[in-house]
Amino acid sequence: MHIVTVVGARPQFVKAAVLTRRLLTGDFPTIRDTIVHTGQHYDHTMSGSFFTDLGMPAPAVNLSVGSGAHGAQTGAIMAGLEAELPNLRPDLILVYGDTNSTLAAALVAAKAGIALAHVEAGLRSFRRAMPEEINRVVTDRLSDYLFCPSEKAAVQLRQEGRGSGIHVCGDVMYDSFLYYRNHPNARAATIKHGVQSRQFALVTLHRAENTDNPARLALLFDALADVARQMPVLLPLHPRTRQAIARLGISPADAISILEPLPYAETIGLAGEAAVVATDSGGLQKEAFFGATPCVTLRDETEWGETVEAGWNRLMPQGDGAAIAGSILQAAQNRSDAPPPQLFGNGDAAGEILMQLQRYQ
Ligand code: UD1
C-alpha cells in the first residue's frame, strides 16, 4: 500500500514524523509512505527546521503554495496536489488535524476516488466561526478511515451518524511526546532559556480568533504583563502574531520574553517544566497535559475537553486582563501531584493506525 501523507503546517510535521518513524521499524513491510508538503508553512523556523530536527527525509514533493486567503490557499493546494496524483499514484491519502492543507487534500482525495484517512478525527469546538472547525467537519465527512485520538472523539462521530470507519487509536502527539521528552534539547531547554523548573509560564498565541481581534489581543497582552510581574513568561511568537502586534501597535511588556518559534524538542522540554502553560494551540494544551503541567487555554472553548474534565486544563475566564492573569497564576499554584489520566492511548497510536490500514488493504 502506498500512502501519500499531505502536511503543510508545523504540528503536522511532528505528527507525520511519528508514522514515518514507526514504518522504519519494519513492522509494516507492505506499507510505504511518501510525504507531500503543501508549503502552507515555509519560514525556516516554521518548516525546514522541523524536518531537520525530526530526522525526516525532505518531502518528495513541495507544492510551495505559501500564505493566502483561505480560498486561495486551499484552492492552490488542491490544484497542486491534483496535478501530482498521476506521478504519486497513491492507494490512500492520509491527512492530519484541521488546517487548510488537511481540507484541501481531503477534497482532492474524495474527488479522485482515492481512499482517505484522517488522523485526529472527531474533534469539535462547536464553533463554526473557527476555520479549523469547518476543516475538521468536512474532512471527517469525506474520510474512509477516522482515526480518533480518544474515546470522546469517537463518541462525537457516532453522534453525527458515522457507522463505520471509526478507530480509537490514541494520539500520535502522545507517541511523539514520549519519544522526545528525554531528548537532550528537551532536557536542556530550561537552562538554555534561563528559567527554573516549575517557576515560569510558557505561552503561545496564534489563533485567528485572538490575533485578528485587536481588543482581545490587547487584553491578552495586558494579562501576560500581569503574569510577568509574578514569574518569567516565555512567549515564542508565531509570525501571524508578530505581524498582528506590529500592525496594531501593541508593545508587549518588557518583562515578557519574546522568542522566535521554538524547535519541537525544546517546546516539549519547556511544556513539561513550566509552572503553567497558557496557549491557544491544541497541540500545546496536550503537551502540557502529558507533561503534568496545568494549562489555561486562551480561548472560549477547546476541542480537547477531556483535559478540562480531568482537571488539568481550564478555559480562560471572561473579563479583564487581571482576571485572565489571575486564572493563569492560580492554575500554576494548583498543580496536582497525581499524574494525569491516560486518555490518549498507550503511546503507540502510530502502530494502531498502521495496523488498521494494513488490515484493510
Ligand atoms: C495554521 C492552521 C492552524 C494551526 C497552525 C499551526 C489553518 C486555517 N490554520 O494556522 O489550525 O494551528 O497552522 O501553526 O490552516 N506565516 C509566515 N510564515 C509561515 C507561515 C505563516 O509568516 O511560515 C504568516 C503569514 O502571514 C500567514 C499567517 O502567518 O498569512 C497565517 O498562516 P496560515 O498558514 O494561514 O495559518 P496559521 O495561523 O499558521
Side-chain angles (χ1 to χ4, degrees):
M1 172 187 265
H2 180 209
I3 299 177
V4 168
T5 299
V6 181
V7 293
R10 187 166 53 161
Q12 293 167 336
F13 309 142
V14 174
K15 293 165 197 168
V18 177
L19 243 76
T20 299
R21 205 164 41 239
R22 192 66 178 82
L23 279 173
L24 286 175
T25 60
D27 289 346
F28 305 95
T30 57
I31 299 181
R32 70 186 173 99
D33 78 329
T34 299
I35 305 280
V36 172
H37 186 340
T38 64
Q40 178 172 350
H41 285 172
Y42 46 88
D43 284 355
H44 183 67
T45 54
M46 298 287 286
S47 176
S49 72
F50 276 74
F51 278 83
T52 319
D53 293 352
L54 295 163
M56 294 257 282
V61 177
N62 192 326
L63 303 176
S64 301
V65 299
S67 301
H70 286 271
Q73 189 177 56
T74 308
I77 298 169
M78 287 184 70
L81 181 60
E82 193 173 60
E84 290 292 337
L85 289 182
N87 304 329
L88 292 166
R89 301 166 62 86
D91 298 311
L92 177 132
I93 290 182
L94 186 141
V95 293
Y96 294 96
D98 54 19
T99 70
N100 289 344
S101 296
T102 312
L103 171 68
L107 287 166
V108 168
K111 283 173 180 273
I114 298 167
L116 176 66
H118 185 205
V119 177
E120 291 194 334
L123 303 184
R124 297 290 180 267
S125 68
F126 303 102
R127 188 167 171 276
R128 278 289 164 96
M130 202 183 169
E132 290 84 358
E133 182 73 354
I134 300 165
N135 296 345
R136 285 180 203 118
V137 168
V138 176
T139 302
D140 281 344
R141 194 78 183 86
L142 297 177
S143 292
D144 303 286
Y145 299 90
L146 295 151
F147 293 122
C148 300
S150 65
E151 273 302 333
K152 190 178 172 82
V155 168
Q156 176 60 31
L157 290 171
R158 287 191 201 103
Q159 276 173 1
E160 290 177 14
R162 283 303 296 249
S164 62
I166 301 171
H167 306 280
V168 180
C169 295
D171 190 341
V172 287
M173 293 295 277
Y174 184 45
D175 300 16
S176 191
F177 171 84
L178 295 177
Y179 187 80
Y180 278 97
R181 68 175 164 181
N182 289 320
H183 188 284
N185 294 348
R187 297 175 79 97
T190 50
I191 293 169
K192 176 172 174 185
H193 291 281
V195 286
Q196 296 193 348
S197 182
R198 301 296 179 199
Q199 290 181 36
F200 67 97
L202 175 66
V203 182
T204 74
L205 275 174
H206 77 282
R207 293 278 177 193
E209 65 210 77
N210 287 327
T211 60
D212 298 359
N213 179 335
R216 190 162 163 120
L217 195 60
L219 180 81
L220 288 167
F221 272 94
D222 282 350
L224 297 182
D226 277 359
V227 175
R229 278 191 268 279
Q230 306 291 326
M231 64 170 72
V233 172
L234 301 184
L235 176 61
L237 265 199
H238 187 292
R240 173 202 277 276
T241 319
R242 196 176 281 279
Q243 289 159 18
I245 59 175
R247 194 174 59 243
L248 299 169
I250 294 174
S251 352
D254 289 343
I256 302 172
S257 301
I258 305 275
L259 310 171
E260 290 297 316
L262 292 178
Y264 177 64
E266 261 176 54
T267 308
I268 292 294
L270 292 174
E273 291 296 322
V276 61
V277 164
T279 185
D280 58 10
S281 151
L284 195 55
Q285 286 172 52
K286 280 177 302 151
E287 281 150 6
F289 179 82
F290 302 146
T293 301
C295 181
V296 178
T297 294
L298 301 173
R299 291 176 45 198
D300 298 329
E301 71 285 303
T302 174
E303 305 74 52
W304 301 104
E306 50 280 80
T307 60
V308 176
E309 287 150 23
W312 285 88
N313 190 4
R314 58 174 81 179
L315 299 175
M316 72 176 200
Q318 306 286 328
D320 58 6
I324 297 167
S327 176
I328 295 171
L329 291 166
Q330 194 190 43
Q333 298 303 322
N334 286 358
R335 190 166 166 268
S336 160
D337 288 331
Q342 277 222 324
L343 299 174
F344 298 104
N346 63 6
D348 188 23
E352 282 291 321
I353 289 167
L354 291 167
M355 202 177 69
Q356 295 296 341
L357 291 176
Q358 184 169 260
R359 181 178 297 170
Y360 287 103
Q361 69 185 318

mmCIF file of all heavy atoms in Angstrom, residues 9-11 40-44 46-47 66-68 70 73 98-101 131-132 135 206-208 238-241 243 281-282, ligand 1:
data_model
loop_
_atom_site.group_PDB
_atom_site.id
_atom_site.type_symbol
_atom_site.label_atom_id
_atom_site.label_comp_id
_atom_site.label_asym_id
_atom_site.label_seq_id
_atom_site.Cartn_x
_atom_site.Cartn_y
_atom_site.Cartn_z
ATOM 1 N N ALA A 9 1.504 22.352 7.787
ATOM 2 C CA ALA A 9 1.678 23.259 8.925
ATOM 3 C C ALA A 9 2.491 22.561 10.011
ATOM 4 O O ALA A 9 2.480 21.333 10.122
ATOM 5 C CB ALA A 9 0.321 23.694 9.464
ATOM 6 N N ARG A 10 3.138 23.384 10.790
ATOM 7 C CA ARG A 10 4.093 22.937 11.807
ATOM 8 C C ARG A 10 3.675 21.682 12.583
ATOM 9 O O ARG A 10 4.433 20.707 12.600
ATOM 10 C CB ARG A 10 4.315 24.141 12.725
ATOM 11 C CG ARG A 10 5.344 24.017 13.746
ATOM 12 C CD ARG A 10 5.666 25.372 14.320
ATOM 13 N NE ARG A 10 4.507 26.110 14.806
ATOM 14 C CZ ARG A 10 4.590 27.133 15.655
ATOM 15 N NH1 ARG A 10 5.760 27.504 16.114
ATOM 16 N NH2 ARG A 10 3.525 27.776 16.047
ATOM 17 N N PRO A 11 2.502 21.641 13.219
ATOM 18 C CA PRO A 11 2.200 20.450 14.020
ATOM 19 C C PRO A 11 2.064 19.180 13.175
ATOM 20 O O PRO A 11 2.252 18.070 13.674
ATOM 21 C CB PRO A 11 0.863 20.786 14.689
ATOM 22 C CG PRO A 11 0.300 21.935 13.940
ATOM 23 C CD PRO A 11 1.461 22.659 13.320
ATOM 24 N N GLN A 40 2.250 25.366 3.045
ATOM 25 C CA GLN A 40 1.456 26.339 3.830
ATOM 26 C C GLN A 40 2.356 27.083 4.818
ATOM 27 O O GLN A 40 2.270 28.293 4.948
ATOM 28 C CB GLN A 40 0.307 25.626 4.560
ATOM 29 C CG GLN A 40 -0.522 26.587 5.423
ATOM 30 C CD GLN A 40 -1.784 25.967 6.000
ATOM 31 O OE1 GLN A 40 -2.177 24.861 5.632
ATOM 32 N NE2 GLN A 40 -2.430 26.671 6.909
ATOM 33 N N HIS A 41 3.205 26.350 5.521
ATOM 34 C CA HIS A 41 4.242 26.990 6.344
ATOM 35 C C HIS A 41 5.559 26.874 5.597
ATOM 36 O O HIS A 41 5.866 25.823 5.036
ATOM 37 C CB HIS A 41 4.342 26.313 7.718
ATOM 38 C CG HIS A 41 3.205 26.698 8.624
ATOM 39 N ND1 HIS A 41 2.984 26.117 9.841
ATOM 40 C CD2 HIS A 41 2.208 27.606 8.468
ATOM 41 C CE1 HIS A 41 1.919 26.659 10.421
ATOM 42 N NE2 HIS A 41 1.423 27.551 9.593
ATOM 43 N N TYR A 42 6.336 27.944 5.622
ATOM 44 C CA TYR A 42 7.532 27.987 4.764
ATOM 45 C C TYR A 42 8.716 28.663 5.439
ATOM 46 O O TYR A 42 9.839 28.489 5.012
ATOM 47 C CB TYR A 42 7.200 28.729 3.456
ATOM 48 C CG TYR A 42 6.434 29.999 3.731
ATOM 49 C CD1 TYR A 42 7.083 31.190 3.991
ATOM 50 C CD2 TYR A 42 5.037 29.971 3.832
ATOM 51 C CE1 TYR A 42 6.368 32.338 4.305
ATOM 52 C CE2 TYR A 42 4.317 31.117 4.146
ATOM 53 C CZ TYR A 42 4.989 32.296 4.380
ATOM 54 O OH TYR A 42 4.293 33.427 4.716
ATOM 55 N N ASP A 43 8.497 29.476 6.498
ATOM 56 C CA ASP A 43 9.648 30.057 7.203
ATOM 57 C C ASP A 43 10.503 28.917 7.745
ATOM 58 O O ASP A 43 9.966 27.870 8.140
ATOM 59 C CB ASP A 43 9.179 30.899 8.410
ATOM 60 C CG ASP A 43 8.613 32.240 7.989
ATOM 61 O OD1 ASP A 43 8.671 32.563 6.789
ATOM 62 O OD2 ASP A 43 8.113 32.964 8.873
ATOM 63 N N HIS A 44 11.809 29.161 7.836
ATOM 64 C CA HIS A 44 12.678 28.076 8.321
ATOM 65 C C HIS A 44 12.246 27.606 9.716
ATOM 66 O O HIS A 44 12.156 26.408 9.984
ATOM 67 C CB HIS A 44 14.141 28.537 8.336
ATOM 68 C CG HIS A 44 15.066 27.445 8.759
ATOM 69 N ND1 HIS A 44 15.272 26.306 7.996
ATOM 70 C CD2 HIS A 44 15.803 27.271 9.887
ATOM 71 C CE1 HIS A 44 16.100 25.494 8.625
ATOM 72 N NE2 HIS A 44 16.430 26.050 9.776
ATOM 73 N N MET A 46 9.404 27.609 10.996
ATOM 74 C CA MET A 46 8.061 27.011 10.982
ATOM 75 C C MET A 46 8.030 25.716 10.167
ATOM 76 O O MET A 46 7.048 24.990 10.191
ATOM 77 C CB MET A 46 7.067 27.984 10.345
ATOM 78 C CG MET A 46 6.907 29.300 11.065
ATOM 79 S SD MET A 46 5.999 29.108 12.594
ATOM 80 C CE MET A 46 4.349 28.866 11.955
ATOM 81 N N SER A 47 9.076 25.471 9.374
ATOM 82 C CA SER A 47 9.007 24.344 8.452
ATOM 83 C C SER A 47 10.337 23.589 8.350
ATOM 84 O O SER A 47 10.512 22.544 8.954
ATOM 85 C CB SER A 47 8.562 24.856 7.074
ATOM 86 O OG SER A 47 8.573 23.832 6.140
ATOM 87 N N GLY A 66 2.506 28.638 -0.037
ATOM 88 C CA GLY A 66 2.681 29.832 0.794
ATOM 89 C C GLY A 66 1.384 30.296 1.429
ATOM 90 O O GLY A 66 0.386 29.568 1.471
ATOM 91 N N SER A 67 1.400 31.538 1.932
ATOM 92 C CA SER A 67 0.243 32.092 2.637
ATOM 93 C C SER A 67 -0.776 32.650 1.661
ATOM 94 O O SER A 67 -0.448 32.926 0.510
ATOM 95 C CB SER A 67 0.692 33.205 3.576
ATOM 96 O OG SER A 67 1.612 32.716 4.512
ATOM 97 N N GLY A 68 -1.990 32.846 2.161
ATOM 98 C CA GLY A 68 -3.028 33.442 1.326
ATOM 99 C C GLY A 68 -4.351 33.397 2.034
ATOM 100 O O GLY A 68 -4.473 32.781 3.102
ATOM 101 N N HIS A 70 -8.129 32.117 2.718
ATOM 102 C CA HIS A 70 -8.492 30.696 2.844
ATOM 103 C C HIS A 70 -8.777 30.047 1.494
ATOM 104 O O HIS A 70 -8.283 28.956 1.194
ATOM 105 C CB HIS A 70 -9.699 30.542 3.769
ATOM 106 C CG HIS A 70 -9.322 30.756 5.196
ATOM 107 N ND1 HIS A 70 -8.884 29.757 6.008
ATOM 108 C CD2 HIS A 70 -9.281 31.886 5.931
ATOM 109 C CE1 HIS A 70 -8.592 30.245 7.198
ATOM 110 N NE2 HIS A 70 -8.829 31.547 7.173
ATOM 111 N N GLN A 73 -5.568 29.828 -0.691
ATOM 112 C CA GLN A 73 -4.609 28.840 -0.183
ATOM 113 C C GLN A 73 -5.130 27.413 -0.405
ATOM 114 O O GLN A 73 -4.421 26.544 -0.915
ATOM 115 C CB GLN A 73 -4.358 29.100 1.303
ATOM 116 C CG GLN A 73 -3.240 28.285 1.887
ATOM 117 C CD GLN A 73 -3.001 28.638 3.351
ATOM 118 O OE1 GLN A 73 -3.930 28.567 4.154
ATOM 119 N NE2 GLN A 73 -1.783 28.995 3.688
ATOM 120 N N ASP A 98 -6.531 19.757 11.191
ATOM 121 C CA ASP A 98 -7.637 20.641 10.805
ATOM 122 C C ASP A 98 -7.190 21.888 10.049
ATOM 123 O O ASP A 98 -7.841 22.924 10.122
ATOM 124 C CB ASP A 98 -8.374 21.070 12.081
ATOM 125 C CG ASP A 98 -7.428 21.694 13.106
ATOM 126 O OD1 ASP A 98 -6.326 22.109 12.715
ATOM 127 O OD2 ASP A 98 -7.797 21.752 14.293
ATOM 128 N N THR A 99 -6.083 21.796 9.345
ATOM 129 C CA THR A 99 -5.612 23.008 8.660
ATOM 130 C C THR A 99 -6.189 23.075 7.243
ATOM 131 O O THR A 99 -6.830 22.130 6.772
ATOM 132 C CB THR A 99 -4.078 23.027 8.555
ATOM 133 O OG1 THR A 99 -3.689 22.016 7.628
ATOM 134 C CG2 THR A 99 -3.415 22.765 9.905
ATOM 135 N N ASN A 100 -5.902 24.178 6.566
ATOM 136 C CA ASN A 100 -6.350 24.281 5.177
ATOM 137 C C ASN A 100 -5.684 23.201 4.314
ATOM 138 O O ASN A 100 -6.277 22.740 3.329
ATOM 139 C CB ASN A 100 -6.041 25.677 4.629
ATOM 140 C CG ASN A 100 -6.946 26.725 5.257
ATOM 141 O OD1 ASN A 100 -7.975 26.397 5.864
ATOM 142 N ND2 ASN A 100 -6.580 27.994 5.128
ATOM 143 N N SER A 101 -4.475 22.790 4.675
ATOM 144 C CA SER A 101 -3.814 21.695 3.942
ATOM 145 C C SER A 101 -4.607 20.398 4.101
ATOM 146 O O SER A 101 -4.747 19.612 3.154
ATOM 147 C CB SER A 101 -2.383 21.491 4.464
ATOM 148 O OG SER A 101 -1.595 22.630 4.218
ATOM 149 N N PRO A 131 -12.029 28.686 11.453
ATOM 150 C CA PRO A 131 -11.763 27.992 10.185
ATOM 151 C C PRO A 131 -11.437 26.516 10.394
ATOM 152 O O PRO A 131 -11.835 25.659 9.586
ATOM 153 C CB PRO A 131 -10.552 28.729 9.593
ATOM 154 C CG PRO A 131 -10.085 29.711 10.610
ATOM 155 C CD PRO A 131 -11.151 29.866 11.644
ATOM 156 N N GLU A 132 -10.748 26.212 11.482
ATOM 157 C CA GLU A 132 -10.356 24.814 11.718
ATOM 158 C C GLU A 132 -11.574 23.912 11.919
ATOM 159 O O GLU A 132 -11.530 22.730 11.594
ATOM 160 C CB GLU A 132 -9.451 24.723 12.953
ATOM 161 C CG GLU A 132 -8.063 25.313 12.770
ATOM 162 C CD GLU A 132 -8.008 26.819 12.986
ATOM 163 O OE1 GLU A 132 -9.066 27.447 13.243
ATOM 164 O OE2 GLU A 132 -6.900 27.369 12.903
ATOM 165 N N ASN A 135 -12.846 22.887 8.614
ATOM 166 C CA ASN A 135 -11.916 21.920 8.025
ATOM 167 C C ASN A 135 -12.099 20.530 8.627
ATOM 168 O O ASN A 135 -12.082 19.517 7.933
ATOM 169 C CB ASN A 135 -10.469 22.394 8.232
ATOM 170 C CG ASN A 135 -10.176 23.702 7.510
ATOM 171 O OD1 ASN A 135 -10.945 24.127 6.644
ATOM 172 N ND2 ASN A 135 -9.074 24.339 7.839
ATOM 173 N N HIS A 206 -1.624 32.092 18.566
ATOM 174 C CA HIS A 206 -1.572 32.241 17.108
ATOM 175 C C HIS A 206 -2.936 32.136 16.431
ATOM 176 O O HIS A 206 -3.049 32.395 15.238
ATOM 177 C CB HIS A 206 -0.630 31.211 16.491
ATOM 178 C CG HIS A 206 -1.236 29.829 16.411
ATOM 179 N ND1 HIS A 206 -1.321 28.998 17.501
ATOM 180 C CD2 HIS A 206 -1.801 29.158 15.375
ATOM 181 C CE1 HIS A 206 -1.896 27.873 17.133
ATOM 182 N NE2 HIS A 206 -2.208 27.926 15.857
ATOM 183 N N ARG A 207 -3.976 31.768 17.180
ATOM 184 C CA ARG A 207 -5.279 31.548 16.543
ATOM 185 C C ARG A 207 -5.859 32.842 16.001
ATOM 186 O O ARG A 207 -5.809 33.883 16.676
ATOM 187 C CB ARG A 207 -6.267 30.994 17.561
ATOM 188 C CG ARG A 207 -5.946 29.625 18.033
ATOM 189 C CD ARG A 207 -6.430 28.601 17.063
ATOM 190 N NE ARG A 207 -6.037 27.285 17.523
ATOM 191 C CZ ARG A 207 -6.091 26.196 16.798
ATOM 192 N NH1 ARG A 207 -6.531 26.252 15.551
ATOM 193 N NH2 ARG A 207 -5.721 25.049 17.279
ATOM 194 N N ALA A 208 -6.503 32.726 14.855
ATOM 195 C CA ALA A 208 -7.119 33.899 14.228
ATOM 196 C C ALA A 208 -8.055 34.616 15.200
ATOM 197 O O ALA A 208 -8.094 35.844 15.245
ATOM 198 C CB ALA A 208 -7.885 33.445 12.988
ATOM 199 N N HIS A 238 4.470 33.109 16.921
ATOM 200 C CA HIS A 238 4.113 32.720 15.552
ATOM 201 C C HIS A 238 4.186 33.985 14.679
ATOM 202 O O HIS A 238 3.837 35.083 15.155
ATOM 203 C CB HIS A 238 2.683 32.178 15.600
ATOM 204 C CG HIS A 238 2.175 31.581 14.322
ATOM 205 N ND1 HIS A 238 1.922 32.326 13.200
ATOM 206 C CD2 HIS A 238 1.856 30.308 13.986
ATOM 207 C CE1 HIS A 238 1.465 31.532 12.234
ATOM 208 N NE2 HIS A 238 1.422 30.301 12.694
ATOM 209 N N PRO A 239 4.625 33.843 13.413
ATOM 210 C CA PRO A 239 4.739 35.047 12.569
ATOM 211 C C PRO A 239 3.424 35.814 12.449
ATOM 212 O O PRO A 239 3.417 37.048 12.361
ATOM 213 C CB PRO A 239 5.176 34.508 11.201
ATOM 214 C CG PRO A 239 5.403 33.048 11.332
ATOM 215 C CD PRO A 239 5.107 32.629 12.743
ATOM 216 N N ARG A 240 2.308 35.097 12.471
ATOM 217 C CA ARG A 240 0.998 35.781 12.376
ATOM 218 C C ARG A 240 0.807 36.753 13.544
ATOM 219 O O ARG A 240 0.328 37.877 13.370
ATOM 220 C CB ARG A 240 -0.113 34.719 12.417
ATOM 221 C CG ARG A 240 -1.510 35.289 12.490
ATOM 222 C CD ARG A 240 -2.462 34.263 13.046
ATOM 223 N NE ARG A 240 -2.966 33.319 12.061
ATOM 224 C CZ ARG A 240 -4.002 33.547 11.257
ATOM 225 N NH1 ARG A 240 -4.622 34.693 11.304
ATOM 226 N NH2 ARG A 240 -4.423 32.636 10.424
ATOM 227 N N THR A 241 1.203 36.317 14.749
ATOM 228 C CA THR A 241 1.036 37.145 15.942
ATOM 229 C C THR A 241 2.030 38.312 15.928
ATOM 230 O O THR A 241 1.694 39.438 16.296
ATOM 231 C CB THR A 241 1.234 36.275 17.204
ATOM 232 O OG1 THR A 241 0.596 35.026 16.990
ATOM 233 C CG2 THR A 241 0.671 36.943 18.432
ATOM 234 N N GLN A 243 3.164 39.775 13.321
ATOM 235 C CA GLN A 243 2.631 40.780 12.382
ATOM 236 C C GLN A 243 1.456 41.527 13.006
ATOM 237 O O GLN A 243 1.316 42.743 12.831
ATOM 238 C CB GLN A 243 2.167 40.091 11.090
ATOM 239 C CG GLN A 243 3.312 39.564 10.235
ATOM 240 C CD GLN A 243 2.860 38.479 9.264
ATOM 241 O OE1 GLN A 243 1.673 38.330 8.983
ATOM 242 N NE2 GLN A 243 3.807 37.710 8.740
ATOM 243 N N SER A 281 -3.071 26.982 21.358
ATOM 244 C CA SER A 281 -2.719 25.866 20.476
ATOM 245 C C SER A 281 -3.307 24.558 21.002
ATOM 246 O O SER A 281 -3.187 24.265 22.195
ATOM 247 C CB SER A 281 -1.189 25.738 20.424
ATOM 248 O OG SER A 281 -0.794 24.406 20.189
ATOM 249 N N GLY A 282 -3.892 23.784 20.107
ATOM 250 C CA GLY A 282 -4.418 22.477 20.521
ATOM 251 C C GLY A 282 -3.288 21.547 20.929
ATOM 252 O O GLY A 282 -3.383 20.821 21.923
HETATM 253 C C1 UD1 B 1 -2.399 27.173 10.626
HETATM 254 C C2 UD1 B 1 -3.703 26.423 10.864
HETATM 255 C C3 UD1 B 1 -3.934 26.266 12.349
HETATM 256 C C4 UD1 B 1 -2.736 25.617 13.016
HETATM 257 C C5 UD1 B 1 -1.485 26.392 12.681
HETATM 258 C C6 UD1 B 1 -0.267 25.709 13.243
HETATM 259 C C7 UD1 B 1 -5.369 26.869 9.113
HETATM 260 C C8 UD1 B 1 -6.659 27.526 8.806
HETATM 261 N N1 UD1 B 1 -4.857 27.148 10.329
HETATM 262 O O1 UD1 B 1 -2.561 28.472 11.177
HETATM 263 O O2 UD1 B 1 -5.047 25.427 12.548
HETATM 264 O O3 UD1 B 1 -2.921 25.608 14.420
HETATM 265 O O4 UD1 B 1 -1.340 26.481 11.252
HETATM 266 O O5 UD1 B 1 0.813 26.586 13.325
HETATM 267 O O6 UD1 B 1 -4.849 26.125 8.309
HETATM 268 N N2 UD1 B 1 3.175 32.926 8.187
HETATM 269 C C9 UD1 B 1 4.500 33.245 7.988
HETATM 270 N N3 UD1 B 1 5.369 32.214 7.760
HETATM 271 C C10 UD1 B 1 4.973 30.914 7.723
HETATM 272 C C11 UD1 B 1 3.617 30.615 7.919
HETATM 273 C C12 UD1 B 1 2.729 31.638 8.155
HETATM 274 O O7 UD1 B 1 4.899 34.392 8.024
HETATM 275 O O8 UD1 B 1 5.838 30.026 7.528
HETATM 276 C C13 UD1 B 1 2.236 34.027 8.464
HETATM 277 C C14 UD1 B 1 1.638 34.609 7.202
HETATM 278 O O9 UD1 B 1 1.413 35.965 7.393
HETATM 279 C C15 UD1 B 1 0.300 33.917 7.123
HETATM 280 C C16 UD1 B 1 -0.074 33.772 8.581
HETATM 281 O O10 UD1 B 1 1.167 33.535 9.246
HETATM 282 O O11 UD1 B 1 -0.644 34.610 6.389
HETATM 283 C C17 UD1 B 1 -1.035 32.671 8.863
HETATM 284 O O12 UD1 B 1 -0.522 31.451 8.318
HETATM 285 P P1 UD1 B 1 -1.543 30.285 7.875
HETATM 286 O O13 UD1 B 1 -0.769 29.151 7.342
HETATM 287 O O14 UD1 B 1 -2.613 30.852 7.020
HETATM 288 O O15 UD1 B 1 -2.238 29.878 9.222
HETATM 289 P P2 UD1 B 1 -1.656 29.665 10.698
HETATM 290 O O16 UD1 B 1 -2.018 30.836 11.527
HETATM 291 O O17 UD1 B 1 -0.220 29.261 10.678
#
